[in-house]
Amino acid sequence: MTIAKEGRMFVYPLFTFTTLLFCIKVVYGINILFPFISSLLFLFCLNFFRDPKRIIPNCENIILSPADGKIIRIEKVNDDEVGDSITISIFLNIFNVHVNRMPISGYFQNVKYMKGKFLLAFDHKACDENERNTIKISTEIGIIKIVQIAGLLARRIICYAKEEDTMKIGGRLGFMRFGSRIDLTIPSNVNLDIKIGQKVVGNRTVIATY
């Protein structure tokens, strides 16, 4: 299993600490509760920070899911920059892979971070009130937006998008620590391939075609 680089600062020390506790348990007979709790934390982090390699589908004119999770909203909107568009919200629970990926090749026009609250990520108020990072991308289908939204437990939004840089479809866009949400806003003239309640997989599930 590959560990995401964003999680190594948690996984490796926990592994060392847990191993040390078990050694102390064997030598000095300390309470088994401490190494047991440490083991659970290590296994949780090992699962949370997994970073599976994903090969994108060999297809053209597709928009891929930017994250693993569940579709909780599909809404037609009139975005000031995208125009007539569709916003798709993906909720990531603590058991999902939390790597964020590029849904379509493009050029980063703007990256804007905003401080905010830490409401539950599936609450639709979260997209306007929570800590978030908005990425405006120029693509062959026009402007799209990706919003990384912190959840109740998330306290760290990691974004690798840099203004005036480009990134190909499937590229590693960022990482969300401990429960979060991704909002994807795309032009409305695409053909959606997803529905409310559907589970999606980053770099594998086709969100739409054009």
Side-chain angles (χ1 to χ4, degrees):
M1 178 187 296
T2 303
I3 302 300
K5 59 184 178 181
E6 297 86 356
R8 292 170 189 166
M9 62 182 292
F10 297 97
V11 174
Y12 294 162
L14 267 174
F15 174 76
T16 302
F17 183 64
T18 301
T19 302
L20 181 61
L21 283 179
F22 273 105
C23 289
I24 294 175
K25 162 63 180 172
V26 172
V27 176
Y28 297 103
I30 66 168
N31 193 321
I32 188 62
L33 180 64
F34 298 111
F36 178 71
I37 293 173
S38 184
S39 296
L40 289 180
L41 288 173
F42 169 69
L43 291 174
F44 169 78
C45 287
L46 192 66
N47 180 71
F48 184 89
F49 289 110
R50 67 194 187 280
D51 188 6
K53 295 190 181 299
R54 300 269 174 81
I55 299 174
I56 64 174
N58 186 22
C59 304
E60 295 182 351
N61 301 332
I62 58 175
I63 300 171
L64 295 176
S65 176
D68 292 24
K70 181 180 180 180
I71 303 291
I72 59 171
R73 179 176 67 149
I74 300 174
E75 182 179 352
K76 289 187 176 181
V77 297
N78 191 347
D79 186 89
D80 292 339
E81 295 171 304
V82 182
D84 288 335
S85 50
I86 302 170
T87 294
I88 299 148
S89 299
I90 303 171
F91 173 69
L92 295 75
N93 65 43
I94 58 173
F95 299 108
N96 290 129
V97 172
H98 274 59
V99 178
N100 303 155
R101 308 173 194 274
M102 193 73 165
I104 184 174
S105 298
Y107 168 86
F108 300 120
Q109 287 194 357
N110 184 260
V111 181
K112 184 178 181 181
Y113 170 78
M114 293 189 67
K115 293 183 178 180
K117 300 177 181 179
F118 295 95
L119 302 174
L120 290 168
F122 54 76
D123 184 342
H124 293 317
K125 291 181 181 179
C127 61
D128 297 319
E129 299 183 23
N130 276 24
E131 176 183 331
R132 60 196 180 275
N133 200 52
T134 303
I135 308 166
K136 180 182 174 184
I137 309 170
S138 176
T139 74
E140 62 179 325
I141 63 169
I143 299 297
I144 73 166
K145 284 183 179 177
I146 295 175
V147 186
Q148 299 171 296
I149 304 170
L152 179 66
L153 298 177
R155 290 295 187 273
R156 182 83 166 107
I157 298 174
I158 300 172
C159 178
Y160 298 122
K162 305 293 183 183
E163 290 185 15
E164 300 185 359
D165 278 357
T166 60
M167 186 178 288
K168 292 184 178 180
I169 184 172
R172 215 168 185 282
L173 186 61
F175 197 96
M176 306 286 286
R177 285 183 184 157
F178 306 117
S180 50
R181 166 174 165 170
I182 294 287
D183 279 6
L184 172 65
T185 300
I186 54 179
S188 61
N189 59 349
V190 299
N191 303 306
L192 283 185
D193 290 331
I194 43 93
K195 59 184 179 181
I196 294 286
Q198 179 178 338
K199 292 183 179 179
V200 293
V201 179
N203 266 17
R204 286 187 181 169
T205 303
V206 175
I207 292 286
T209 57
Y210 58 92

